[in-house]
Each structure stands twice: as structure tokens, then as C-alpha cells.
Amino acid sequence: SNSCTTEDRREMQLMWGKVWSAQFTGRRVSIAQAVFKDLFHNVPAAVGLFDRVDGSDVNSNKFKAHCIRVVNGLDSAIGLLSDPSTLNEQLAHLATQHKERTGVTKSGFAAIAQSFLRVMPQVASCFNPDAWSRCFNRITDGMTEGL
Ligand code: HEM
């Protein structure tokens, strides 16, 4: 099945939670930086979308602050998987923020999904790519509506 089931959702929340239970406070930033490095490596044209936040230097403080906003956005969406109607509102809000940015397309979200799939197994133990992908798609489907 292609849908994010209750079981998938629990697994995703567990995988995500394990990442943050680890020692490093800087972990959220470094994981998002790794994801964006992977994305920019595979889709060099995407770098320019992030000029305002110094996308050409993923180690800059500006870009690290952007990374935190993205991870926190994802974190709240993952948390809300158990509350679909609130989740939909949150995703609609994120969709609006992305629609405002010229050049952001659904294909960019497909690419970042692949980047997460490459980074997460390195940082989460017992990573289940199928459960993760089904729920990640549920989240990005909502975020890219009308994009
Ligand atoms: C900004 C979340 C994927 C392009 C943001 C912001 C959040 C966010 C929370 C900050 C909004 C604000 O404060 O105004 C996410 C999440 C993603 C995701 C959770 C995936 C799960 C993407 C992808 C692209 C993209 C794939 C394009 C390839 C942008 C751009 C900005 C942005 C251009 C504005 C940066 C700036 O100038 O401040 N995103 N995003 N995002 N996002 Fe995403």
C-alpha cells in the first residue's frame, strides 16, 4: 500500500525520536545540512533558490538557521501524523510558504525525499525506508498541494 498507516506512523515517530534522543544538540542542524548537501549535489540548480539564506555556504550561520526551520517544520508534521486534521492545516501553511517562492517545484520535493533516504539510515538505527517513505510522502503531498 502507498499510504502512511498507523503502524508506519508509529515507526516513523520512533525512528525520528531516536535521532534526537542522542547526545548532540547540534544534530538537527547537521542532519539537515547533510540532507541539503546531498540535494545540492544531485540538483545543483536548487542552490540558487536559497540565496536569501546563503545556500551556497551550507556551513554559514544563516543557512544553519534555515536548516533548523526546516527540521522543526518536519518535526511538527511528524508529530501531527496522529492528528490528521491539524496536520492538514499545518501542511497547508507550509504549502503557502513554499508557493511564495518562485522555482520551488514538486520535483524538488521528490529529490529531497531521496536525500532524506540517503541520510537517515546513517543516523537512525533500525531505519525502515518503506514506512519512512510512505509517511514522508504523506507529509510532502500536503506541503506541495497547488505547487
Ligand atoms: C523555507 C520546510 C522542502 C525550498 C522553508 C521553511 C520551512 C520549510 C519551515 C521556512 C519558512 C519561513 O520561515 O518562511 C520544509 C520542509 C521540507 C522542505 C519540512 C521537506 C520536507 C523544500 C524543498 C525546497 C524548499 C524540497 C526546494 C527545492 C524552500 C525555500 C525556502 C524554504 C526556497 C525559503 C528560504 C528563505 O529564503 O528563507 N522550508 N521545506 N523546501 N523552503 Fe522548504
Side-chain angles (χ1 to χ4, degrees), residues 36 39 46 49-53 66 69-74 94 97-98 100-101 103-105 108-110 112 116 136 139-140 143:
F36 276 105
L39 176 70
L49 300 173
F50 300 90
D51 275 348
R52 203 180 68 130
V53 289
H66 166 75
R69 290 191 286 275
V70 172
V71 172
N72 287 345
L74 185 59
L94 284 170
Q97 288 181 322
H98 284 88
E100 284 165 359
R101 270 95 188 199
V104 178
T105 60
F109 282 84
I112 212 170
F116 270 99
F136 194 87
I139 291 168
T140 52
M143 274 185 67

Side-chain angles (χ1 to χ4, degrees), residues 131-145:
W132 173 274
S133 292
R134 286 190 288 267
C135 294
F136 194 87
N137 290 342
R138 160 76 173 92
I139 291 168
T140 52
D141 279 356
M143 274 185 67
T144 56
E145 216 165 85

Side-chain angles (χ1 to χ4, degrees), residues 116-130:
F116 270 99
L117 275 181
R118 282 187 284 265
V119 171
M120 287 305 290
Q122 302 176 43
V123 294
S125 52
C126 307
F127 183 74
N128 174 338
D130 297 325

Side-chain angles (χ1 to χ4, degrees), residues 11-20 27-28 30-36 38 71 74-75 78 112-133 136:
E11 275 211 61
M12 186 188 215
Q13 289 172 340
L14 204 68
M15 291 182 263
W16 189 244
K18 274 186 187 155
V19 171
W20 314 128
R27 205 120 192 241
R28 290 185 176 229
S30 46
I31 288 168
Q33 281 175 299
V35 166
F36 276 105
D38 185 277
V71 172
L74 185 59
D75 181 69
I78 291 173
I112 212 170
Q114 292 307 309
S115 299
F116 270 99
L117 275 181
R118 282 187 284 265
V119 171
M120 287 305 290
Q122 302 176 43
V123 294
S125 52
C126 307
F127 183 74
N128 174 338
D130 297 325
W132 173 274
S133 292
F136 194 87

Side-chain angles (χ1 to χ4, degrees), residues 40-117:
F40 294 163
H41 175 80
N42 292 297
V43 189
V47 180
L49 300 173
F50 300 90
D51 275 348
R52 203 180 68 130
V53 289
D54 281 359
S56 56
D57 180 6
V58 295
N59 296 316
S60 67
N61 293 324
K62 256 194 192 167
F63 197 77
K64 283 159 75 178
H66 166 75
C67 281
I68 277 294
R69 290 191 286 275
V70 172
V71 172
N72 287 345
L74 185 59
D75 181 69
S76 56
I78 291 173
L80 284 170
L81 282 170
S82 23
D83 179 358
S85 27
T86 310
L87 175 63
N88 289 341
E89 291 302 327
Q90 173 68 0
L91 296 179
H93 185 86
L94 284 170
T96 308
Q97 288 181 322
H98 284 88
K99 259 183 268 179
E100 284 165 359
R101 270 95 188 199
T102 339
V104 178
T105 60
K106 282 193 186 186
S107 70
F109 282 84
I112 212 170
Q114 292 307 309
S115 299
F116 270 99
L117 275 181

